[in-house]
Amino acid sequence: MASTNSLHPTDPSSSMEDPAAKAMNKRYEGLITVRTKATKGKGAWYWAHLEPILVRNPDTNLPKAVKLKCSLCDAVFSASNPSRTASEHLKRGTCPNFSAVLRLNSSLSPLPISSLASPSVAYHHHHHNHRKRSPSTAIVSPLQNQVSNNSNDDDNNPLAIVKSTRFLGYSSHNNNNNNNNNNNNNNAGLTQQNLVLSGGKEDLGALAMLEDSVKKLKSPKTSPGPALSKDQIDSAFDLLADWFYESCGSVSFSSLEHPKFRAFLSQVGMPALSRRDLSGVWLDNKFHEAKRESEARIKDAMFFQVASDGWKRKSCCSSYTTTSSSSSGCVDENLVKFSVNLPNGSSVYQKAVFTGGSVTSKYAEEVLWETLMGICGSGVQKCAGIVADKYKGKALRNLEIQNHWMVNLSCQLQGFVSLIKDFSKELLLFRTVTENSLKLANFVNNKLQVKSSFQKYRMQELEYAGLIRVPSNKCNCSSNIAHVFAMLEDILSCSRVLQMVVLDDSYKVICVADPIAREVAGIVQNEEFWNDLDAVYSLVKLIRGMAQEIEVERPLIGQCLPLWEELRVKVKEWCTKFNLAEAPVEKIVEKRFRRNYHPAWSAAFILDPLYLMQDTSGKFLPPFKCLTHEQEKDVDKLITRLVTREEAHVALMELMKWRSEGLEPLYAQAVQVKQRDPVTGKMKIANPQSSRLVWETCLSEYKSLGKVAVRLIFLHATSCGFKCNWSMMKWICVHRHSRIGLERAQKMIFIAAHSKLGRRDFSNEEEKDAQLFMVGSEDDTLNEVFAHAP
């Protein structure tokens, strides 16, 4: 098949005089030898499709290069590494015709490479007046016979006599001209080879499929994948179903019938899977299995806490805008999730309730009580309390009054993020910075000449030409602080860029006729503005950081007072750093603290051995000295409320003993042992359950006080748990008016939540993906948390 027919004849003596030409000839002859051996079955497979050719200099007629030519598509490559050429061109699908050859060959018995014409035959065929047969004939003849044999037809089978360079290999125009003279008498069959398909080369794929269909009808075959046992298939489908349900809407039901996915299943030897399979019996079985396990764990616990998250509407402008005129939609989450926190630190999912946006406190109270009754029936005293992200003042308070053994808390996370909104509404510094920043950003984004200048300098300085993110007109800046925070962040990062913009000559021309331009220039060039902006940004970042840590760590109730004390210290340091008056800031912090405070904070702080403090005598005593006089009274009142009237006096006596004696030093130190978290690198309590276990073992002498302690110190201070991704929420919104669709959504959420809570995974896959692709997920997360905080 190799040929130099298109090249001029050369004088051997002239080529031998040139060392380079001599090397080229040697390289060419070496490749010819290798390919000749391959055609006899003693070489690599790819030589059936790659042909060495010798390229000559048109001026000197001397060899200048050796190339490899693909006989399937006529592409030419360097001959330096034939193996790599074959791998990249043939195996990786670069050759447009190679796959068609494979498809056709799969329907035929494999042709041995020895049946193909060798390059030496083709080479000598050119130099000996074509007395040997052409390479075309050598390849097509076995193909004709093969197809004819497989089809049980005679030699006139039209499917076997179509000629195409995709199968015939390389043949130069000189060969074709000579063959016209020599083959007329001795090879009449080749006349049929000159027929072409009406669709050209692209028809060969369809031809291969037709041959494949004929062969399948004659002898049907099973799946090409490996043979799996029934148990292996069932186990594989069980794992696949778990993954699908736990994706909770990220993978659609229709994806299961995607051709590529079905091809994958076939490749690994598994039968096809339809969406009906996963939306029917399998879904029901997985749901009932998770439900039974959840109920068994709740039944096994002596008491529990109900967590309810989602009462606050997670609605806000869905995206940042670069212009004040841009519109954005609002989407209500409308999903309230209920989970059960157990004394051993684990949580189990209970149910989800779909609401129509904001609901009344009375309705929320009814749903909470109905959920509680559904969990424990008549034994409602097993419920130690409720933590929710809303309705602390009415619904939670009413249930607590009606059931004296309950401690109902508002979510600590909401308290921190609400504090940022308090600052944005009540602190003059926040309002001033926000107004100036909005004025600056809107002017830069909307003034055409200024916008162009800003983008030019931003690309020059920061290698990014985007505009400043600005809250939509539909957003209330005091409520949607996440959008304001993004704007402040952009302006701070572009401080140098904005300075360059206002100093540009084109901006000075605008200032002559535009008073707003002069005002904006004054803002940008005012050092006080930048100091105030930095102060506001730093405070928001400070509180936001603590809020995110609370969401991740999910602190218990005893940690509430230390957290707020830590916040006070950090805020005081912030005031000192930016030379701001402390009184107005502390007033806002204390106001929010009182709104979120619950007497159980103080009681849990005193009763939890984790917070015992060592005095000068070596005793580990409760930290009463950290409480105010009012908080000490709260401890007495709460303990009295949580026990029966008969036990009240005994409980207070035991509290006095606990205050004076505390815990044995050895056990106190064991409870407070810390170890470094391998993920975050922070020091954490080695055994969080030891606080409760100490009361049930070493301190069992405190009969009444011990019962209060174990029911109190395990309570969670946050309601956040399982996060439902937006894919599932969108699916719910579409099918919320369908009973069957809503029932399926409930079951899928239950399965996903049960699995994630079981392995204590409180993350969100979409947030992980956003972080992976460097999308601004932090602001979106803040946006959800900050939205509509009180």
Side-chain angles (χ1 to χ4, degrees):
M1 289 171 64
S3 176
T4 56
N5 294 341
S6 60
L7 308 176
H8 300 290
T10 180
D11 181 6
S13 62
S14 62
S15 63
M16 295 302 291
E17 294 174 358
D18 191 332
K22 183 178 179 181
M24 291 299 169
N25 270 323
K26 187 175 181 181
R27 172 66 173 160
Y28 173 71
E29 290 171 359
L31 291 176
I32 291 294
T33 302
V34 171
R35 190 179 190 282
T36 301
K37 291 181 179 180
T39 59
K40 296 178 181 179
K42 299 180 180 180
W45 62 271
Y46 49 77
W47 287 115
H49 308 294
L50 297 181
E51 168 193 358
I53 60 174
L54 192 62
V55 180
R56 300 183 181 278
N57 190 314
D59 297 328
T60 64
N61 203 27
L62 294 176
K64 70 173 184 178
V66 179
K67 300 287 185 180
L68 291 178
K69 185 171 184 177
C70 176
S71 61
L72 301 177
C73 66
D74 296 337
V76 178
F77 308 93
S78 168
S80 61
N81 193 336
S83 176
R84 185 177 64 183
T85 300
S87 177
E88 294 182 353
H89 181 63
L90 298 176
K91 282 190 173 182
R92 296 185 183 178
T94 307
C95 179
N97 302 329
F98 184 65
S99 58
V101 174
L102 293 181
R103 286 196 300 269
L104 183 58
N105 287 344
S106 67
S107 65
L108 309 173
S109 298
L111 292 176
I113 194 170
S114 59
S115 68
L116 305 178
S118 70
S120 60
V121 172
Y123 181 75
H124 292 293
H125 171 76
H126 167 64
H127 290 287
H128 295 283
N129 297 323
H130 307 280
R131 286 195 295 268
K132 297 183 182 286
R133 62 179 180 171
S134 70
S136 316
T137 309
I139 296 178
V140 173
S141 297
L143 180 62
Q144 290 176 340
N145 295 334
Q146 189 68 41
V147 176
S148 178
N149 292 337
N150 286 340
S151 304
N152 290 332
D153 205 347
D154 55 29
D155 291 338
N156 295 325
N157 186 337
L159 296 180
I161 58 177
V162 180
K163 173 183 177 182
S164 172
T165 57
R166 181 177 299 185
F167 302 110
L168 299 186
Y170 174 76
S171 180
S172 68
H173 62 83
N174 289 335
N175 277 347
N176 293 335
N177 292 336
N178 292 330
N179 285 341
N180 289 337
N181 298 324
N182 295 328
N183 293 343
N184 289 334
N185 297 327
N186 58 8
N187 201 353
L190 289 181
T191 305
Q192 291 179 317
Q193 295 178 26
N194 294 327
L195 296 177
V196 295
L197 296 171
S198 59
K201 292 182 178 181
E202 298 302 321
D203 272 352
L204 291 173
L207 177 64
M209 293 176 63
L210 178 59
E211 285 295 329
D212 190 49
S213 299
V214 172
K215 187 169 183 181
K216 285 182 178 179
L217 288 173
K218 290 177 60 180
S219 56
K221 291 185 178 181
T222 58
S223 170
L228 299 178
S229 67
K230 184 178 183 302
D231 290 341
Q232 289 176 316
I233 292 176
D234 291 343
S235 177
F237 274 140
D238 191 60
L239 293 172
L240 180 63
D242 286 341
W243 166 78
F244 178 80
Y245 296 137
E246 289 177 28
S247 69
C248 202
S250 297
V251 182
S252 67
F253 280 97
S254 300
S255 300
L256 301 174
E257 297 180 349
H258 192 282
K260 295 293 185 182
F261 182 71
R262 288 192 165 187
F264 165 77
L265 292 179
S266 176
Q267 190 68 27
V268 298
M270 294 175 63
L273 179 69
S274 72
R275 54 185 174 181
R276 292 183 179 274
D277 294 332
L278 288 185
S279 62
V281 178
W282 280 2
L283 178 61
D284 293 338
N285 291 341
K286 288 287 183 182
F287 169 73
H288 291 307
E289 179 183 341
K291 187 76 172 176
R292 284 193 299 270
E293 183 179 344
S294 175
E295 291 174 348
R297 292 175 63 186
I298 295 174
K299 184 178 180 180
D300 189 51
M302 294 181 62
F303 43 84
F304 57 82
Q305 178 193 36
V306 174
S308 178
D309 181 58
W311 293 106
K312 285 186 177 297
R313 294 173 56 202
K314 301 295 189 295
S315 65
C316 186
C317 298
S318 58
S319 61
Y320 299 115
T321 60
T322 54
T323 62
S324 58
S325 60
S326 297
S327 61
S328 59
C330 292
V331 180
D332 292 338
E333 182 171 322
N334 300 327
L335 180 65
V336 181
K337 285 95 59 181
F338 289 89
S339 57
V340 177
N341 298 323
L342 303 178
N344 61 9
S346 64
S347 300
V348 294
Y349 186 76
Q350 177 59 27
K351 70 175 183 178
V353 175
F354 302 96
T355 65
S358 295
V359 298
T360 64
S361 177
K362 184 63 177 177
Y363 175 78
E365 183 179 338
E366 293 173 357
V367 172
L368 288 169
W369 182 252
E370 178 185 343
T371 302
L372 183 58
M373 294 296 292
I375 296 173
C376 51
S378 58
V380 290
Q381 289 193 349
K382 287 188 65 175
C383 179
I386 302 172
V387 58
D389 60 344
K390 198 176 181 183
Y391 304 115
K392 173 182 181 288
K394 294 183 179 179
L396 295 179
R397 179 62 178 164
N398 290 342
L399 289 174
E400 193 175 79
I401 294 173
Q402 297 165 16
N403 306 279
H404 69 87
W405 62 86
M406 293 177 61
V407 174
N408 297 338
L409 309 167
S410 62
C411 180
Q412 186 78 297
L413 175 63
Q414 291 297 328
F416 270 67
V417 297
S418 296
L419 178 62
I420 299 180
K421 293 189 175 184
D422 294 341
F423 279 123
S424 66
K425 294 177 181 178
E426 301 176 27
L427 196 62
L428 180 61
L429 177 67
F430 265 71
R431 295 200 301 269
T432 304
V433 168
T434 302
E435 290 172 2
N436 288 335
S437 298
L438 279 171
K439 188 176 296 182
L440 187 158
N442 283 323
F443 182 78
V444 169
N445 287 353
N446 296 323
K447 193 73 173 180
L448 185 60
Q449 290 176 284
V450 179
K451 178 169 68 174
S452 300
S453 179
F454 174 80
Q455 290 177 313
K456 180 186 72 174
Y457 286 119
R458 191 174 191 183
M459 176 61 73
Q460 176 181 317
E461 293 292 316
L462 305 176
E463 297 183 353
Y464 171 66
L467 298 177
I468 300 172
R469 288 173 290 178
V470 180
S472 167
N473 289 335
K474 295 182 179 180
C475 283
N476 183 346
C477 291
S478 61
S479 299
N480 298 299
I481 192 65
H483 287 207
V484 176
F485 184 79
M487 177 181 65
L488 302 183
E489 192 171 41
D490 281 356
I491 293 175
L492 268 178
S493 65
C494 295
S495 57
R496 177 175 169 80
V497 174
L498 291 168
Q499 294 284 352
M500 296 170 72
V501 169
V502 299
L503 292 175
D504 192 271
D505 291 338
S506 61
Y507 191 89
K508 294 178 181 179
V509 173
I510 298 174
C511 287
V512 173
D514 193 337
I516 299 180
R518 294 194 294 271
E519 185 179 0
V520 170
I523 293 174
V524 172
Q525 295 175 328
N526 187 353
E527 185 178 352
E528 185 179 353
F529 165 75
W530 293 106
N531 290 336
D532 292 346
L533 177 61
D534 189 19
V536 170
Y537 178 82
S538 298
L539 182 58
V540 174
K541 189 175 181 179
L542 184 157
I543 303 175
R544 161 186 149 174
M546 292 190 68
Q548 289 176 337
E549 189 172 352
I550 289 172
E551 185 176 19
V552 173
E553 299 296 333
R554 304 178 76 236
L556 301 180
I557 186 175
Q559 201 172 343
C560 291
L561 289 181
L563 277 173
W564 279 92
E565 185 58 31
E566 179 185 354
L567 175 65
R568 291 188 185 96
V569 172
K570 289 183 176 181
V571 168
K572 187 171 293 188
E573 292 174 352
W574 173 82
C575 292
T576 303
K577 177 181 177 180
F578 291 98
N579 197 26
L580 297 172
E582 295 181 8
V585 178
E586 290 179 350
K587 181 180 179 181
I588 296 173
V589 173
E590 291 304 316
K591 181 179 178 182
R592 173 52 58 182
F593 172 80
R594 288 194 298 271
R595 290 188 63 179
N596 283 78
Y597 173 76
H598 192 287
W601 291 11
S602 301
F605 182 61
I606 292 300
L607 296 176
D608 194 337
L610 183 62
Y611 304 106
L612 295 179
M613 303 175 68
Q614 190 174 17
D615 66 359
T616 55
S617 64
K619 291 183 178 180
F620 280 81
L621 302 176
F624 275 95
K625 63 180 182 181
C626 297
L627 302 183
T628 64
H629 181 65
E630 291 298 323
Q631 289 171 346
E632 286 191 33
K633 291 182 178 179
D634 290 338
V635 175
D636 295 342
K637 292 177 181 178
L638 183 76
I639 292 175
T640 303
R641 178 169 71 84
L642 293 181
V643 298
T644 61
R645 291 185 179 180
E646 295 76 15
E647 292 180 301
H649 179 70
V650 176
L652 291 178
M653 294 295 292
E654 291 177 347
L655 178 62
M656 293 176 62
K657 181 181 178 181
W658 170 249
R659 181 170 187 169
S660 60
E661 296 183 6
L663 180 63
E664 187 177 333
L666 186 62
Y667 287 101
Q669 292 172 345
V671 170
Q672 297 177 1
V673 167
K674 293 186 178 183
Q675 64 183 13
R676 191 171 301 278
D677 187 296
V679 178
T680 63
K682 298 180 180 179
M683 297 300 294
K684 294 185 177 180
I685 298 299
N687 184 9
Q689 306 308 316
S690 57
S691 293
R692 175 179 51 84
L693 295 176
V694 162
W695 277 102
E696 295 177 339
T697 55
C698 308
L699 299 174
S700 57
E701 58 184 288
Y702 296 91
K703 301 297 184 182
S704 299
L705 186 63
K707 289 190 293 186
V708 174
V710 295
R711 289 175 63 98
L712 195 61
I713 60 179
F714 91 97
L715 296 176
H716 289 247
T718 62
S719 61
C720 48
F722 169 71
K723 290 184 177 180
C724 195
N725 57 46
W726 283 108
S727 299
M728 175 55 73
M729 290 311 309
K730 182 179 180 181
W731 195 78
I732 291 171
C733 289
V734 172
H735 300 283
R736 62 180 305 163
H737 299 296
S738 166
R739 182 187 61 81
I740 297 177
L742 203 56
E743 183 179 337
R744 287 176 180 170
Q746 286 271 24
K747 290 178 178 179
M748 285 188 65
I749 292 174
F750 191 99
I751 296 170
H754 179 76
S755 176
K756 296 193 72 172
L757 291 179
R759 60 178 184 264
R760 303 193 181 188
D761 180 5
F762 303 100
S763 60
N764 181 289
E765 284 76 10
E766 291 173 350
E767 292 177 6
K768 291 180 181 178
D769 292 343
Q771 293 172 3
L772 176 65
F773 293 103
M774 300 301 290
V775 179
S777 59
E778 290 185 357
D779 293 328
D780 294 338
T781 304
L782 271 179
N783 185 45
E784 286 189 15
V785 177
F786 291 161
H788 296 276

